[in-house]
Amino acid sequence: MDYSAAQKTLAILPKCTGCLSLLGSLFIFQDVVIHKRPIDRVYYRIMLGLSCSDMIASTVNIFSTWPIPPDSGNFLASGTTATCTAQGFFNELGNLATPLYNTSLCAYYVLVIRQAWSEDRIRIRAERYMHAMPILIALTIAVLGLPFKLYNNSGWLCWIAKYPKGCSGSDCTRGVHADIFRWVHYAIIWSAIICVTVGMYLIYLKVKSFDRREAQENNDEVARMERSKKVAIQSALFVGALYLTWSFTTVTRIYQVTTGNNNTTLLVLMAIFFPLQGFFNFLVYCRPRYLRCKSRNPNLSTRKLLWMALHPEDHTKNRGQTGTRERQTPYVEREEDNQRAGRARRSITASYYSVGNNFAKYPHNTGDDYTAVNTVKAVADENDYITDRDKTADNVSDTANLEEETKTNTVAEDSKVELDEKSDEPDADPDEENQG
C-alpha cells in the first residue's frame, strides 16, 4: 500500500517527541525517587505524580500507529482491536491525569505564595485532594470507555472515536457515544486550564502587591517577597508548558468540529507539541538547578553547567568522605580552582538565585514562609553543589588568610610601638597620620 507523506509524518513524529517527553519525565521520576529520599516535601510528591502520568501518555505516543489494526490504512499499523483498546485506555488515563496534576501544582503555588501556608499545613489539609482529584477523575473516565467500546482508531493513535470511521447512530459497531465522551474529555481539560489560569492571575496580583510594598518594608520582608517572585516565575513556566502542549490540540479539534475536515499543518503541529509536555516539565524542573550552578560557577561554559545540573549526585555523593581527585567529575576536576575564585567574586546579581546567600544576608528568615517557598526549588540551594573538598579547601584558605592577617597586624603594631619610642614628636608619627 502506498502511504502519503502526511501519513508517514504523523506516524513517525509522535515517536520522536514522545521519546523526548518520556526521557524528561523519567529524569524527574528518578531525581525525586532516588535523590530526594525521603520524599518529605509536598512539591516533590506532586512532581512525582505529574511525571508518572506523563510517562503513561508519552509511552502511548511512542507507540503511535503500532497498536492500530492494519485494515485502518495507517502507516506502520500492525495491532488488533485489543491492542487499540489498551492504547486508548492508557491514552485517556495519562492525558487526563497530566493537566489535572498541573492544576494541583498550581494550587500548591497559590497556597505557598498567596495564602502563605506552611509545608505542614499544606500536607495536612490539602495534599490528599491534590492527588485524589487527578487520579480518580482520570481513572473513572478511562474505565467508563471500556464498556462503551469507545477506544478505536482516531488518526495516528487509538482514542475515543467511532468505528467504522464516519459512521453515525446504529451504523457504528463501536464508539456510539464517542462524541459525548469527547466533549466530556475537553470539558475536563479546559476546566483544568481555566483553573490554572485563575491561579496564575492570583499569584500575579500577589507579586504585584509585593512590588508596591517592597520599598516600604524591612529587609526580612523584602527577602520573602523576592523568594515568592522566583516561585511565581517557576509556576508561570509550568503553566506555559501546559498551554504549549494543549493549544494546537484544541485548535485542531475545533477545526475538525467546525469544518468536518482535517488540516495537515495543524495535525503535524499537534503531533509535535502534544507529546512534549514531559520534556517541557523537565526543562522547567531543571531550570533552578542550572541557575544555581551558573551563579556558583560564572566562568564555566554552558555545556559544563548543563552537565553539573543534570548530575547533582556527582557533587554531593562524597559528603562526609575525604575528597580525592578520582571522586571529582571531569568538569569539576578541571575547574575546581576557578569555581572557588568565582564564588569569591560572585556579584549580588548572580547571587540572586542562591538561597544560601539570601539566608546568609537574612539569617532570621527561618519561619514557615521561608520553608514553604524553598520547597519548590524555585530558589537555589548552593550547598547541593559544594563538595567536602571544596568546603575543606575554603576552610583552609580562610584559616590561612586569618593567620596572615593576624601576623600583619602584629607586625604593624610592633612597628608603631617602635616609632613611638624613637620619635620625639608623636604628631609626626606616619601611622597616626594615616589613621587620621
Side-chain angles (χ1 to χ4, degrees), residues 67-86:
I68 300 175
D71 59 0
S72 62
N74 291 83
F75 181 64
L76 298 180
S78 56
T80 63
T81 300
T83 58
C84 189
T85 299

Side-chain angles (χ1 to χ4, degrees), residues 256-299:
Q256 290 173 341
V257 171
T258 55
T259 66
N261 298 313
N262 288 320
N263 183 283
T264 303
T265 302
L266 289 176
L267 288 174
V268 170
L269 291 173
M270 175 181 171
I272 293 174
F273 287 95
F274 178 66
L276 278 177
Q277 181 160 1
F279 181 71
F280 294 147
N281 289 338
F282 157 75
L283 295 178
V284 178
Y285 182 83
C286 291
R287 170 183 169 272
R289 187 174 296 172
Y290 173 82
L291 294 175
R292 183 184 316 140
C293 294
K294 186 176 181 180
S295 70
R296 292 196 52 78
N297 306 278
N299 296 326

Side-chain angles (χ1 to χ4, degrees), residues 236-261:
L237 291 173
F238 275 118
V239 174
L242 180 65
Y243 284 151
L244 197 57
T245 301
W246 285 96
S247 294
F248 292 108
T249 302
T250 302
V251 172
T252 301
R253 296 306 182 194
I254 293 175
Y255 183 86
Q256 290 173 341
V257 171
T258 55
T259 66
N261 298 313

